[in-house]
Amino acid sequence: MFSFLKKSTPAQRTIEAIYGMIVAQARQPAFYAGLHVPDTVDGRFDMVLLHLWMVLRVLRQDPAGEEPAQHLFDRFCTDMDDNLREMGVGDLTVPKRMQKFGEAFYGRSAAYDAALNAGHAELAAAFNRNIFNEANAAGAERLATYVGEALAQLNTVDQAAFARGEWQFPPANGLAEG
C-alpha cells in the first residue's frame, strides 16, 4: 500500500526496465495476428514466459548474471501475483495458482532448453506443443526462427550491458504469414 514511499535503487529500476521490455515484446501484435498465438490469457502468459526464458538464458551465461536473473524472475512472480489479485482471485487461491505458474515456467524452460540444444525442428515442436496446443506447426516453425534469431542477437550484447538492460529484442513485425 505504501510502496510509493520506498525509493527504488538503480538495480531495481533496471529490473523494472528489462521486465517492461519483456512484457512489451510479448504483447507485440505480430505474435497474435501473424503467428496466430492464441490471444488469450494463456497465450499472452506463454509469450511472456518465452521472452523471460530467453532473457534469463542469456543472463545466466555469466556467473554475474545470476543475481539479476533471480531479481527478474522475482519481478515476474510479483507481476503474476498482482495480476491474479486484480482478476479477483482470492487470497487462499493465489498461492496454488502461483505454484502452477512456477511449474509452467520451469517445465517450459526445461523443454525449451532441451529443444534448443536438439535443434530447430525440436524447438518448433516444443512451441507447437506448449504454445499452440499442437494446432499450428507453421506458426511454431516461424516462432522457432524468431527465437533463434532473437537469441543470436541477444548473445552478441556484452554481458554487463545486457544486465544493465542496454539492448532490444529484434522486431517482431516480420512474423506475418509467409
Side-chain angles (χ1 to χ4, degrees):
M1 180 170 164
F2 294 103
S3 62
F4 67 91
L5 295 175
K6 290 193 245 176
K7 297 215 182 216
S8 63
T9 66
Q12 289 169 323
R13 287 191 297 273
T14 298
I15 293 302
E16 284 298 320
I18 293 172
Y19 189 71
M21 292 185 331
I22 289 168
V23 171
Q25 187 73 4
R27 290 181 177 165
Q28 290 295 310
F31 295 115
Y32 307 95
L35 297 182
H36 304 289
V37 169
D39 194 0
T40 61
V41 171
D42 288 342
R44 288 179 177 259
F45 175 74
D46 280 329
M47 295 311 294
V48 169
L49 280 184
L50 175 64
H51 287 87
L52 177 63
W53 166 73
M54 285 192 283
V55 171
L56 293 176
R57 184 174 172 86
V58 173
L59 278 172
R60 289 186 169 138
Q61 290 174 5
D62 180 1
E66 276 300 322
E67 185 176 349
Q70 184 61 53
H71 290 303
L72 187 57
F73 181 76
D74 293 345
R75 177 62 185 97
F76 162 74
C77 291
T78 300
D79 186 40
M80 293 301 107
D81 185 278
D82 291 346
N83 284 320
L84 287 172
R85 292 175 193 283
E86 284 177 18
M87 293 179 349
V89 174
D91 287 342
L92 296 176
T93 307
V94 169
K96 293 174 192 167
R97 297 286 294 274
M98 289 301 297
Q99 182 177 355
K100 288 185 187 234
F101 287 155
E103 290 168 359
F105 173 78
Y106 287 115
R108 282 172 176 77
S109 291
Y112 297 163
D113 283 336
L116 185 66
N117 293 335
H120 180 84
E122 288 299 321
L123 189 59
F127 293 154
N128 195 30
R129 192 171 41 256
N130 289 297
I131 296 173
F132 296 103
N133 296 314
E134 301 284 348
N136 186 354
E141 170 70 29
R142 289 196 315 279
L143 184 58
T145 298
Y146 161 78
V147 167
E149 291 170 358
L151 284 171
Q153 178 178 318
L154 296 176
N155 280 318
T156 66
V157 178
D158 173 73
Q159 278 289 318
F162 194 87
R164 290 191 305 268
E166 296 172 358
W167 51 272
Q168 295 179 11
F169 283 104
N173 53 3
L175 295 174
E177 290 186 54

